[in-house]
Amino acid sequence: MDKIEHIGIAVKDLETSNTLFEKLLGVPHYKIEEVASEGVKTSFFKSGPNKIELLEATNPDSPIAKYLEKKGEGIHHIAFAVEDIVSEIERMKGEGFVVLNETPKKGADNKLVAFLHPKGTNGVLVELCQEIKEG
Ligand code: ZN
């Protein structure tokens, strides 16, 4: 695993939280992206070398909607950058972690992503993400 790629925060209302995080970080978000397959709308902020992803549910069956219902707003996941997500998934399985996406899926921000079940990681939802290389 490489550096922390971003921290994901579940929010009820993306527009309100965009304003809030713009005040907090002193910069506006640099992108908004909807991932229809996940029922989520995301926005991204840069703070120095770090990235924050805000996540809003776009339908009541979305995993984010369920998370908000159960736990309320807050830190939802920590994403680590990996060079080769397929081999990293294999390594995680070998170490006994429960990988929720054995086949990586297309996430926001031009990434292939896979999640580890938080039961095996002290309650922290961990996202592995690999930049999708052009060509
Ligand atoms: Zn993420």
Side-chain angles (χ1 to χ4, degrees), residues 33-54:
E33 189 176 343
E34 192 167 337
V35 184
S37 57
E38 293 297 302
V40 74
K41 197 166 157 192
T42 66
S43 70
F44 285 88
F45 287 82
K46 274 187 188 131
S47 172
N50 303 304
K51 273 162 63 179
I52 303 282
E53 174 186 33
L54 303 182

Side-chain angles (χ1 to χ4, degrees), residues 78-99:
I78 298 180
F80 291 93
V82 299
E83 267 303 304
D84 177 351
I85 196 164
V86 173
S87 69
E88 202 63 23
I89 287 171
E90 284 313 306
R91 189 177 77 82
M92 290 298 148
K93 282 160 65 184
E95 294 288 358
F97 293 101
V98 178
V99 179

Side-chain angles (χ1 to χ4, degrees), residues 5-8 44 53 55 76-79 108 113 115 127 129:
E5 214 285 329
H6 62 268
I7 293 175
F44 285 88
E53 174 186 33
L55 305 119
H76 176 257
H77 64 269
I78 298 180
V113 305
F115 288 91
E127 176 184 347
C129 63

